Amino acid sequence: MKTIQHWINGSPTPGSAADSQPVFNPATGAEQAQVVLGGATDVDAAVAAASAAFETWSESSLTQRTQVMFNFRQLLVEHEEELGRIISAEHGKTVDDARGEITRGREVVEYACGLGDVLKGSFSDQVSRGVDVHNFRQPLGVVAGITPFNFPAMVPLWMHPIAIATGNTFILKPSERDPSAANFVADLYRQAGLPDGVFNVVHGGKNAVDAILTHPGIQAVSFVGSTPIAKYVHEQATSHGKRVQALGGAKNHAVVLPDADLEFAANHITAGAYGSAGERCMAVSVAVAVGSAADALVKVLERKAREVKVGPGNQPGTDMGPLVTKTAQERIENAVGVAATQGATIVVDGRGLKIDGHEEGFFTGPSLLDHVTTAMDAYKEELFGPVLAIIRTDTLDQAIDLINANPYGNGTALFTASGEAARRFQRNIHVGMIGINVPVPVPMSYYSFGGWKDSLIGDNPIHGPEGIRFYTRPKVVTTRWPQQTHNITAGFNFPTSS
């Protein structure tokens, strides 16, 4: 049985090793490893290593830091298949999906490779007689990331490349459900030439999280997860004087107008709803069918849902793998049953799915629910599984009002052939990331990722320009160099105090 250890100061370590928990293969239901669960002692050790490394790393040249990022980026390319299979084996998503998340994470590394231009300050000449002003940004110190199970490579890659490239040192607390990707990435950093202590991994649960949130040696915390935990992280970390990025949950709507290409829309909504088994904060969980689009859209979505091939993530041709845990499987199947009792029509029922040879795996099939209302649990809750709810409205404006009334505001999409409708939608919707005929509008790395309302706690989105600002602080320098009005000559006499 493999034991997954912390990574501190450049190598694996068991740390305090006070406790551990199993890591499962979701496709088989079998335990495949044990991960150590750290606490305050292990966080202290990681902070000590990161603090010592910061003294030299923060003074390294921008060229040295970006060269490490170039090396790291190349290693991610070379080891993409291996890392993808590690993710698939612990998370359950398909290997293709895992490779996709690595690619999206690698884009942030590429952004970090170009920080030489992004970090340029500004200079103002002669703001007053003989006075100039310039500014620049410096790193914070030791920073930390607390990341979820659903993207064990991509979400951390949205954080640490920018933090490290700007001169900080980093401590990652990944999900204990699929922890191996974090250690694999740590070793790639080592191969890329990153000095020991600049990137560290502490595994654990709430004890490790609380130690990070309250540790005086950590200057900033980045978090992605559920909204209740995001609020807790924001409250605890800010009360201890830290900067915080806290990204929470979502309920993402895709609106389909009667003028949309229904085959095109259904293809993309199906992928957005059931890809990665719906376990992503940008998953499409609600399709809003407007007017006469409704009945025809339901028929196409039903056909597409039944075509989704469910199986082990490492099996070629699989579209959707299992859920991450048995508990998640039971929660999703229970939610489908509750929806039926509350009046929803189950068009496609994914419950009770068994895969030959993997009968103990955490599988459930795609579920499609029609005639859902905003009062139903299937609409109000972030299910985080392969369940697509259909709500019907008469007009686009009603759809906009419905989405704006939802407490979440992470992502949304509109499928239409009308430029006027698209412009009205994107201007009036209260959501941070919008797709027009794009179901999962995750922005590129040189833009920032973050929603509105309960999907972003505080004011700090992640990666892109906002990420640069989050991991650095500015200095403004005002200078005057008065002209010398007398000559200073060397003296040969013994100096005196006069």
Side-chain angles (χ1 to χ4, degrees):
M1 182 67 64
K2 178 176 69 172
T3 298
I4 302 164
Q5 301 181 335
H6 310 300
W7 183 283
I8 297 175
N9 204 30
S11 62
T13 173
S16 59
D19 201 1
S20 66
Q21 77 172 45
V23 177
F24 293 95
N25 181 331
T28 65
E31 180 181 341
Q32 60 182 332
Q34 285 277 326
V35 60
V36 298
L37 299 180
T41 301
D42 304 295
V43 171
D44 283 342
V47 171
S51 297
F54 178 74
E55 296 300 318
T56 52
W57 182 246
S58 62
E59 294 297 323
S60 63
S61 70
L62 185 57
T63 299
Q64 179 185 350
R65 284 180 261 142
T66 53
Q67 184 58 58
V68 168
M69 286 297 150
F70 276 110
N71 296 342
F72 178 57
R73 185 260 177 204
Q74 183 58 35
L75 288 166
L76 282 172
V77 171
E78 294 172 2
H79 294 276
E80 181 180 280
E81 180 71 17
E82 185 179 359
L83 179 54
R85 292 190 176 278
I86 288 171
I87 293 168
S88 177
E90 291 186 350
H91 175 278
K93 66 176 64 178
T94 68
V95 175
D96 281 347
D97 196 9
R99 285 195 295 256
E101 78 160 271
I102 296 165
T103 299
R104 292 310 303 266
R106 192 175 68 234
E107 290 168 358
V108 179
V109 180
E110 292 163 356
Y111 180 69
C113 289
L115 288 192
D117 182 67
V118 179
L119 284 177
K120 287 191 301 187
S122 59
F123 183 90
S124 296
D125 174 69
Q126 197 75 351
V127 297
S128 186
R129 188 178 298 275
V131 176
D132 306 323
V133 178
H134 70 277
N135 69 339
F136 59 96
R137 305 188 73 87
Q138 289 184 311
L140 303 178
V142 179
V143 299
I146 302 167
T147 57
F149 76 88
N150 58 330
F151 288 101
M154 184 185 75
V155 170
L157 282 166
W158 285 359
M159 302 173 183
H160 53 72
I162 293 177
I164 291 170
T166 51
N168 300 279
T169 53
F170 198 91
I171 298 169
L172 174 63
K173 206 301 287 182
S175 171
E176 59 274 26
R177 298 180 194 175
D178 46 7
S180 293
N183 287 34
F184 189 88
V185 166
D187 192 56
L188 293 186
Y189 266 131
R190 180 192 61 79
Q191 296 176 49
L194 190 69
D196 293 346
V198 176
F199 181 77
N200 306 273
V201 179
V202 175
H203 298 290
K206 188 175 185 300
N207 289 340
V209 169
D210 286 342
I212 288 170
L213 300 182
T214 60
H215 200 292
I218 295 174
Q219 306 303 312
V221 175
S222 301
F223 172 84
V224 175
S226 69
T227 291
I229 305 302
K231 290 179 177 180
Y232 174 80
V233 166
H234 189 271
E235 178 183 354
Q236 290 295 310
T238 54
S239 70
H240 285 83
K242 306 182 193 315
R243 290 187 179 185
V244 182
Q245 290 172 322
L247 280 66
K251 197 71 179 179
N252 304 313
H253 304 69
V255 180
V256 182
L257 297 187
D259 65 358
D261 181 328
L262 294 187
E263 191 77 15
F264 175 89
N267 266 335
H268 287 279
I269 291 171
T270 298
Y274 305 128
S276 199
E279 293 175 318
R280 50 190 180 191
C281 67
M282 290 294 284
V284 177
S285 55
V286 182
V288 184
V290 177
S292 60
D295 288 339
L297 178 64
V298 171
K299 289 181 180 179
V300 183
L301 286 173
E302 177 183 3
R303 171 165 51 87
K304 299 294 182 183
R306 295 190 187 279
E307 291 172 353
V308 174
K309 183 177 179 182
V310 183
N314 62 357
Q315 182 173 299
T318 296
D319 298 315
M320 189 182 96
L323 292 168
V324 68
T325 62
K326 183 70 173 177
T327 300
Q329 177 197 36
E330 292 171 347
R331 176 175 51 79
I332 291 302
E333 297 200 347
N334 180 68
V336 173
V338 169
T341 65
Q342 293 179 341
T345 302
I346 302 180
V347 179
V348 179
D349 191 343
R351 294 175 294 178
L353 178 66
K354 295 296 181 182
I355 304 297
D356 289 343
H358 295 79
E359 287 79 7
E360 299 304 314
F362 310 140
F363 292 96
T364 189
S367 289
L368 180 64
L369 310 177
D370 193 10
H371 300 107
V372 174
T373 71
T374 58
M376 295 180 183
D377 291 346
Y379 177 78
K380 292 188 293 183
E381 297 177 3
E382 184 186 20
L383 299 182
F384 224 63
V387 180
L388 176 61
I390 299 171
I391 288 186
R392 300 169 180 238
T393 65
D394 293 328
T395 67
L396 173 59
D397 288 335
Q398 288 177 352
I400 291 172
D401 290 342
L402 181 148
I403 296 169
N404 288 346
N406 192 278
Y408 296 112
N410 211 39
T412 189
L414 174 69
F415 287 87
T416 183
S418 167
E420 183 281 326
R423 190 173 189 277
R424 178 161 32 120
F425 182 79
Q426 66 194 36
R427 288 186 59 81
N428 294 335
I429 207 74
H430 299 166
V431 175
M433 293 171 285
I434 301 162
I436 304 299
N437 298 313
V438 175
V440 184
V442 177
M444 296 300 290
S445 62
Y446 36 85
Y447 287 86
S448 295
F449 179 104
W452 286 15
K453 299 184 284 187
D454 278 355
S455 294
L456 179 68
I457 311 304
D459 300 313
N460 294 302
I462 204 166
H463 71 61
E466 298 288 350
I468 300 293
R469 285 190 282 271
F470 180 75
Y471 289 121
T472 61
R473 51 191 164 197
K475 281 184 176 177
V476 181
V477 182
T478 304
T479 60
R480 173 186 281 135
W481 298 100
Q483 184 176 354
Q484 297 290 340
T485 57
H486 61 279
N487 293 325
I488 300 176
T489 58
F492 292 88
N493 296 327
F494 191 85
T496 66
S497 60
S498 59

